[in-house]
Amino acid sequence: MAVERMYPRLVVHDADAAIDFYLAAFGAELVERYTDGSGAVVHALLRAGRAEWALKDGDAVDPAPSGPGAVIMALEVDDPDAVAAAMVAHGGRVLFPVTDHDYGQRAGRLADPFGHAWMVAAHTGDLTPEQIQERTGRP
């Protein structure tokens, strides 16, 4: 067995508004979008750079979350400050501001208006795994 592809699938309250948010905040492109007979989005695929994710409208089988949950989407970008600003400008909110971290990243965490948390980060330094562990202060 070989895994061909893996991507996250986000369930949201208003898929079309979420698509608009991700297009504006991340510069994403809409790759595909399908609806059911009522017009609800049953699948939409977005791409920003090499990252892909899908989303759909919540329903009785797949309810949309009401706030940032257990999964945090990690998005590596060239300018986390600009991405965070774009997210906020389009309705996102800061959970942790973008700052430099000793473990070689400039990163922050934001919530989108649809109940999902996103870590936006840029690589800022080349460290060994041992150096990263030492700098995070965890055993």
Side-chain angles (χ1 to χ4, degrees):
M1 179 179 97
V3 174
E4 298 285 330
R5 180 177 174 202
M6 185 180 126
Y7 57 87
R9 189 168 166 81
L10 307 179
V11 181
V12 299
H13 288 292
D14 184 344
D16 286 322
I19 290 167
D20 290 342
F21 174 83
Y22 298 131
L23 295 176
F26 299 150
E29 66 176 295
L30 180 61
V31 177
E32 55 194 25
R33 179 184 172 277
Y34 304 105
T35 60
D36 65 13
S38 73
V41 174
V42 295
H43 172 80
L45 184 68
L46 294 110
R47 181 179 301 132
R50 296 181 311 182
E52 289 185 325
W53 65 99
L55 61 92
K56 66 171 284 208
D57 277 307
D59 55 30
V61 176
D62 298 314
S66 59
V71 175
I72 302 165
M73 304 291 295
L75 191 63
E76 292 182 358
V77 299
D78 61 350
D79 187 346
D81 296 278
V83 172
M87 289 181 75
V88 170
H90 295 284
R93 66 183 169 87
V94 174
L95 301 173
F96 300 105
V98 174
T99 59
D100 290 322
H101 297 277
D102 290 342
Y103 47 81
Q105 282 190 331
R106 180 163 180 78
R109 191 176 307 168
L110 295 98
D112 68 26
F114 309 96
H116 297 283
W118 294 78
M119 180 180 78
V120 295
H123 180 77
T124 58
D126 293 322
L127 302 171
T128 66
E130 295 79 17
Q131 289 171 315
I132 295 169
Q133 181 62 58
E134 181 182 310
R135 290 179 179 197
T136 60
R138 296 186 189 123

